[in-house]
Amino acid sequence: MMYYVIIGQDVPDSLGLRRQARPAHLQRLSQLKDEGRLLLAGPFPAIDSADPGTAGFSGSLIVADFPSLEAAQAWADADPYAAAGVYAQLTVKPFRKVLP
């Protein structure tokens, strides 16, 4: 098993784009979860609050098992948030889980 971290940095004022693409984005994450491949996933609130309201989010973090860096990059590139223009930048890196 090899984990990869996917970090999406949002474009400014991404909340509307996120809302539009969120159901399809969550569906893909649920598929990874159902396959036992998802370690964690979630957004970065744009302000110091669990519910940032209209301030929205500044990006997302996904850590999941993929067969290769290329497969993780392809999955990230095909994410509905990427297609909807939510992300200004996508970073995909190998990740080695140590704790817990």
Side-chain angles (χ1 to χ4, degrees):
M1 174 177 295
M2 182 69 186
Y3 286 113
Y4 294 86
V5 61
I6 299 167
I7 302 169
Q9 297 291 329
D10 283 19
V11 297
D13 302 314
S14 64
L15 190 57
L17 295 171
R18 277 181 165 270
R19 285 181 176 151
Q20 199 170 36
R22 188 170 190 260
H25 172 75
L26 291 179
Q27 183 178 18
R28 289 182 87 228
L29 289 172
S30 292
Q31 182 178 358
L32 286 178
K33 181 183 171 230
D34 292 346
E35 293 170 358
R37 297 171 48 203
L38 183 65
L39 183 61
L40 65 94
F44 301 121
I47 60 173
D48 189 12
S49 174
D51 182 2
T54 58
F57 300 92
S58 64
S60 299
L61 172 71
I62 299 164
V63 182
D65 177 31
F66 291 95
S68 66
L69 178 60
E70 293 78 17
Q73 184 71 58
W75 189 94
D77 290 342
D79 188 84
Y81 278 179
V86 171
Y87 297 141
Q89 180 179 350
L90 265 172
T91 303
V92 180
K93 296 179 178 185
F95 178 79
R96 192 176 121 212
K97 182 181 178 223
V98 175
L99 294 170

